[in-house]
Amino acid sequence: MNVSPLLASRALCAGYGDFQALFGVDFEISPGEVVALIGANGAGKSTLLKTLTGLVPLRSGSVSFAGIDVSKTPAHALVAHGLAMVPEGRRLFRGMSVEDNLRVAADHARPVAANARPWTLERLYDLFPVLAERRRQAVETLSGGQQQMVAIGRALMTQPKLLLCDEISLGLAPKVILEIYEMLPVIRQAGTAILLVEQDVTLASRSSDRFYCMLEGRITLTARSADVTREQITQAYFGVK
Ligand code: ATP
């Protein structure tokens, strides 16, 4: 049985001023899937994420989410459809406590079905116990890894169907990255699909069902993570023959 994609783009083109950054990108992620998007600096990963989420306007092509055309839907309205972003650099509300950062997000939550189990503060504190210990602390006093946990928790409090994570491992120690990545299967088991934008190719392929590689604004490889060879990745990543 074919599952309809949760998020899909078709022939997506976008850019900045005279500069075209995306060239005909076909991308999709199914409900409950974990997909990684890899590529070198400047390949267009962030632009794709921003175009999928309405932060950069598309020039041609289309984007659909849960079967609805969202090509012209602004970013803030997509949250109500079930799309949440963990942005690069986290962008937490400085001066506010951990718990208040999480509560603010809950105010923008998508209504969930009566039989669904929503993300709550308790559930997030089970996922990241250190946040329970630090819940009254201002977010800027936390370590980078703990701040990343708050950013993920804040996105989950909007009850997303899809979590978009933009380089969540950036600048973190390997042990902390592992701690965070170990929680992704728990989030997926709760029914949330995850898109991981990653520069760490090994981490990306180990943590995903499927991945896409981008180079100069185009998808150069899409494959099941378990099947792909290092040579295929290298070729797609650097464009070497
Ligand atoms: P990184 O891993 O460094 O974030 P990336 O794969 O996410 O790279 P993008 O940030 O999407 O790549 O950049 C794709 C191209 O678009 C690059 O050539 C970049 O210089 C250009 N670009 C990105 N943002 C802008 C902008 N605001 N204005 C003009 N050009 C931009």
Side-chain angles (χ1 to χ4, degrees):
M1 189 185 74
N2 267 345
V3 183
S4 306
L6 183 58
L7 177 70
S9 75
R10 297 285 173 251
L12 193 64
C13 295
Y16 309 92
D18 291 340
F19 178 75
Q20 186 167 349
L22 300 181
F23 299 85
V25 173
D26 289 330
F27 170 90
E28 64 180 56
I29 178 165
S30 297
E33 207 181 15
V34 179
V35 168
L37 175 61
I38 63 169
N41 280 335
K45 306 179 298 294
S46 294
T47 304
L48 176 56
L49 219 59
K50 286 177 187 159
T51 311
L52 291 171
T53 55
L55 291 167
V56 167
L58 57 84
R59 291 185 176 169
S60 59
S62 64
V63 180
S64 66
F65 186 71
I68 299 166
D69 188 319
V70 293
S71 304
K72 296 200 168 68
T73 308
H76 63 87
L78 286 171
V79 177
H81 289 280
L83 203 108
M85 176 100 145
V86 182
E88 191 177 348
R90 305 186 276 271
R91 312 235 182 94
L92 297 176
F93 302 117
R94 293 172 64 83
M96 281 170 57
S97 69
V98 167
E99 192 151 304
D100 285 344
N101 265 270
L102 299 173
R103 280 189 197 282
V104 166
D107 292 343
H108 301 275
R110 175 179 71 90
V112 289
N115 59 351
R117 197 172 154 231
W119 286 100
T120 58
L121 286 174
E122 292 67 35
R123 226 175 139 197
L124 282 180
Y125 291 153
D126 279 347
L127 190 67
F128 299 122
V130 69
L131 297 188
E133 289 163 29
R134 307 274 154 113
R135 64 181 185 271
R136 309 241 173 271
Q137 263 179 248
V139 279
E140 63 271 23
T141 65
L142 268 56
S143 70
Q146 292 162 356
Q147 289 189 27
Q148 195 58 273
M149 292 172 197
V150 179
I152 294 169
R154 187 177 63 174
L156 289 175
M157 286 299 270
T158 67
Q159 316 299 339
K161 293 177 187 166
L162 173 59
L163 193 64
L164 304 172
C165 300
D166 197 358
E167 308 215 10
I168 52 173
S169 65
L170 206 68
L172 301 180
K175 181 171 164 283
V176 181
I177 295 172
L178 219 62
E179 255 176 66
I180 291 177
Y181 266 76
E182 273 172 2
M183 292 307 132
L184 299 183
V186 181
I187 296 170
R188 181 244 281 271
Q189 274 159 26
T192 306
I194 303 172
L195 171 59
L196 297 169
V197 175
E198 256 305 332
Q199 291 226 10
D200 183 332
V201 176
T202 309
L203 187 63
S205 55
R206 210 175 49 206
S207 318
S208 59
D209 304 313
R210 227 161 35 84
F211 74 84
Y212 290 84
C213 182
M214 283 190 87
L215 177 69
E216 294 173 356
R218 291 177 170 85
I219 302 288
T220 46
L221 178 67
T222 168
R224 295 210 64 78
S225 307
D227 300 340
V228 78
T229 65
R230 188 142 282 279
E231 288 69 31
Q232 284 173 309
I233 296 180
T234 309
Q235 186 170 336
Y237 195 94
F238 296 107
V240 290
K241 294 269 182 289

